[in-house]
Every structure is written in structure tokens, then in C-alpha cells.
Amino acid sequence: MTSKLNYSTAKDDELVKAAQKGDMAAFEELVARHRDKIYARAFSMLRNEDEAVDLSQEAWVKGWQRLNQFQGDASFATWMTRIVINLCLDQLRKNKRIKSESIDEMNEETGGVERQMPILNPNPTEGLEREELRQRIDKALAQLSYEHRTVLVLHEFEELEYKLIAKRMGCSIGTVMSRLFYARRKMAALLAGLKREELEK
Amino acid sequence: MNTRDMHLKVQAYLDNELSPAEARKVGTWISSNPEGRDLFNELKETREILMQNEPVLKLPESRDFFWSKIEREIAAAERLPAEPEPRPWWTRLLAPLAGTVALFALLFSLVDRGSGHMDLSQSHDAAPLHQLEGAPDVSTITFRSEAEGVTVVWLSTQ
């Protein structure tokens, strides 16, 4: 019985089942549990706090509306993350950030500076607290272009295969490989650069 | 294979995206080529650092405030009338067909009235439309087919 469900201790799938029957309190509990993760994914792609809040909210509304489509093949959090990623990709296309970052695109096509970069051993974990390292990564991610950041987020954080990333981003697998390669090399350079800056302080 | 392609293969090898045969080939190249090995190590280390240290962020709104916005949006969406069911595909064929039928009906009607020709400008039916519409014994039916870009006005003087 839904009325006997203890929301705070119930498992996600129990809350989902209750929410699918129209129990909004169960859905509220799911929102409370996963709102940070959904927001974080939106922010990692958009790099804009207001847009990330709005889109994560929209994702939750869509989640409620499509709840009956959730079959439990993946976890509820993964399913919600897919929704917010799709919304972010739509939003980024609308914002036409791809066009405004034409210099990055050009570099990607012709082989930007990262191709000529010497191979690095960033080793930025050395002597760093985890939180400090995360902040450094966040700072480096903010400096990537939309395409590089998105492909990195989808591959390293969401652990999607090349073909799935290509499908989501509407590009070829070759483009995904190329973007991921340059994104990783840029990140290595940025992390090494940030480390050098801190050492020089 | 050029350097760029080889670099991408090294990455694909790291990500387990190569076929077993290709993976063997690239693996051999990496182990025998210092530059390949260094590149592989750099990519691997970068990947591991990222995977293990995803930035943790908190939604900058309280639970209650965030939920109240979601709840309001859900309620607003549920108040909206449901979207009409999409019409079956065959109904789209009816519009041009109806236009053609109406046109033929108009032609038959004119012929049937014994005018013997279709020159409306020469017949007594050629009265301006606004006059006919105003006449008490004239009724008009207008049909517009968007698909054919045709408007048919059916006049009846009974």
C-alpha cells in the first residue's frame, strides 16, 4: 500500500512504483534524493547556474510526465540523467554555442595546438586533496569548448560508448573520437597548467 | 596510416572500442613505440583522473523551494487540455480529393443550368460576388483547399 510507504527509507524502485500510481510525495522524495546529481549534470554541460537550475527543473517535470515509460532497465537516477542530458543538448543547440565557438571547431578540423603539444604527465593528484582536485577539474572543464566538454562529460562521467555519444550529439563516431582526443589532451594541458600556476604562487 | 589516425587508434584501444584484431595490432605498436606509449599513458591518466574526480555540485535552491516549482509546473501542465489525437494518415488525402470533387460539382452545376458555356463574364451569373451575397435568394458555399491552393465558391440562386 502506498499510504504505508516510509518515504525516507524506501528504495528508489519502491518510490518509483508509488509515483507511477500517482503518489506525488514519493516523487518528491526521488527529487530530493537525486536533485543534486541532475543539477550537476546540467551544470557540467551548460556552465550556467540559472540555465542548469531551469533545465533540471524541466527534467523533473518531464520525468513525472513520462514516469510510466520507465521500465527499470537502468536505475532511476540514470534514466533521469538521460532526460536532463537530452534537454541540455537541445538547449545548447538552441543557444547556437556551436557557431560562436567556431575557432575551436576550426582547430578541431585542422589539428589545433593540442596536436603539437608535447605529451604530458599531468599527475595533478600529487599532493592534492580530493576536493581541491575536483575544483581544478571544474575550472579546466569551464575552459573547454561546448563540443569538447560535452563529449568528455558523456564519455568520462556517463561512461557512454562512442556510438551512443555520436547518436546523442548527432555526429559521426569519427567526430566523437576526434573531439574526445583533443578534449583529453586539452584537459591534460589545462590541469598541468593550473598545477604550474599554483606552484608559482 | 597517418599519425592522427594512429593517435585516435591509441585512444580507441584505451577505451576498448577496437575489434580484437585491431586491438592486438595497436597494442603491439604501443609497446614497441615510446611516443605511442607516452601518449597512451597521458590519455589513460587523464581519463582516470576525470572518472574518479567528477566535480560535486549542489543545487543552489532549498528542497522545499525547488519542489514547489516542480509541483507548480506539473499542476500547470495537467490543467492544459490534452493535445488532440493525431488524425489518421488517410485523412490527409481527403483534402485534395474534396477540392477536386467540389470543383467538378460546380462545373456540373453550371452546365446543368443550361448556360451552354463556361464564360461567367458573359452570363447573367457574372454579377459581382458582393451583389450576389447580398441578394436574399442567393446562398453561397465556400470551399478552400490549402493543399491545392484553390478556393471554390458555390453559388445557389433558388
Side-chain angles (χ1 to χ4, degrees):
Chain A
M1 289 284 288
T2 304
S3 58
K4 286 178 184 173
L5 193 65
N6 184 335
Y7 298 120
S8 58
T9 57
K11 289 178 184 167
D12 274 7
D13 57 349
E14 292 173 313
L15 292 169
V16 169
K17 276 179 192 155
Q20 282 173 332
K21 289 175 189 161
D23 185 347
M24 280 201 98
F27 191 68
E28 183 188 358
E29 178 61 29
L30 288 165
V31 173
R33 284 182 191 183
H34 303 292
R35 69 200 165 114
D36 288 339
K37 182 181 165 60
I38 300 305
Y39 165 74
R41 178 57 64 247
F43 185 83
S44 69
M45 293 178 74
L46 301 167
R47 305 301 305 181
N48 179 302
E49 193 175 288
D50 291 338
E51 275 187 336
V53 170
D54 288 348
L55 277 194
S56 57
Q57 180 188 320
E58 196 181 332
W60 284 110
V61 174
K62 285 207 184 303
W64 170 261
Q65 290 166 341
R66 298 175 188 172
L67 208 50
N68 284 328
Q69 293 170 23
F70 176 70
Q71 303 291 321
D73 304 332
S75 72
F76 177 73
T78 302
W79 183 72
M80 276 304 304
T81 306
R82 279 184 207 152
I83 293 178
V84 81
I85 285 173
N86 286 339
L87 287 173
C88 288
L89 289 170
D90 287 346
Q91 182 66 29
L92 287 165
R93 285 185 197 112
K94 273 184 213 158
N95 290 354
K96 295 185 179 174
R97 287 183 189 175
I98 300 167
K99 281 186 184 170
S100 69
E101 288 169 351
S102 55
I103 292 170
D104 291 300
E105 271 187 347
M106 190 175 70
N107 281 341
E108 197 175 89
E109 296 305 323
T110 58
V113 286
E114 54 280 6
R115 192 127 70 96
Q116 281 80 46
M117 260 174 15
I119 292 163
L120 300 163
N121 177 8
N123 199 14
T125 51
E126 202 176 23
L128 277 183
E129 292 293 328
R130 193 163 195 202
E131 192 45 44
E132 213 176 336
L133 175 59
R134 282 177 166 165
Q135 283 173 11
R136 191 184 280 184
I137 289 170
D138 189 49
K139 208 171 163 184
L141 278 172
Q143 294 179 55
L144 295 183
S145 69
Y146 146 74
E147 293 94 342
H148 288 158
R149 189 168 52 245
T150 303
V151 82
L152 211 56
V153 165
L154 296 181
H155 194 274
E156 317 295 43
F157 300 155
E158 290 301 321
E159 299 181 29
L160 296 183
E161 293 173 359
Y162 292 171
K163 68 176 177 188
L164 285 176
I165 297 173
K167 196 177 166 191
R168 294 276 181 94
M169 293 187 75
C171 61
S172 68
I173 290 178
T175 303
V176 168
M177 289 169 77
S178 175
R179 285 177 180 170
L180 185 60
F181 181 76
Y182 294 119
R184 279 173 168 158
R185 298 228 64 203
K186 264 191 180 179
M187 280 301 281
L190 287 168
L191 291 172
L194 290 171
K195 186 184 175 186
R196 205 164 39 243
E197 275 173 28
E198 282 167 29
L199 287 172
E200 284 166 5
K201 276 181 193 170
Chain B
M1 191 181 292
N2 63 34
T3 312
R4 182 178 180 273
D5 288 344
M6 203 60 211
H7 286 175
L8 296 182
K9 292 263 181 192
V10 169
Q11 175 178 251
Y13 174 78
L14 170 71
D15 294 329
N16 285 324
E17 292 269 1
L18 293 179
S19 66
E22 265 193 312
R24 270 195 303 277
K25 208 167 94 182
V26 176
T28 307
W29 184 79
I30 289 169
S31 58
S32 62
N33 183 307
E35 194 203 326
R37 194 167 51 242
D38 288 348
L39 177 66
F40 177 79
N41 287 336
E42 183 200 278
L43 294 172
K44 185 168 180 267
E45 190 167 355
T46 307
R47 185 183 76 164
E48 283 170 4
I49 288 165
L50 290 171
M51 281 180 148
Q52 292 161 14
N53 297 285
E54 182 182 352
V56 178
L57 295 168
K58 284 203 169 293
L59 183 80
E61 290 184 352
S62 71
R63 171 180 173 158
D64 289 345
F65 180 62
F66 188 60
W67 172 249
S68 71
K69 291 197 298 177
I70 293 168
E71 202 175 21
R72 202 163 51 236
E73 283 294 312
I74 290 171
E78 285 174 0
R79 275 198 302 274
L80 289 174
E83 282 187 17
E85 288 282 316
R87 288 188 301 168
W89 63 270
W90 53 266
T91 58
R92 276 176 286 171
L93 300 175
L94 288 181
L97 193 65
T100 310
V101 169
L103 188 62
F104 274 106
L106 178 64
L107 291 173
F108 276 121
S109 155
L110 290 170
V111 170
D112 199 37
R113 290 175 66 191
S115 63
H117 56 80
M118 300 299 296
D119 187 359
L120 290 175
S121 65
Q122 299 299 313
S123 77
H124 68 280
D125 291 340
L129 193 59
H130 64 87
Q131 283 181 18
L132 292 169
E133 282 174 342
D137 57 344
V138 175
S139 63
T140 62
I141 298 170
T142 307
F143 176 82
R144 169 81 186 157
S145 168
E146 293 295 340
E148 295 193 339
V150 170
T151 302
V152 176
V153 182
W154 192 328
L155 304 172
S156 172
T157 54
Q158 289 165 7

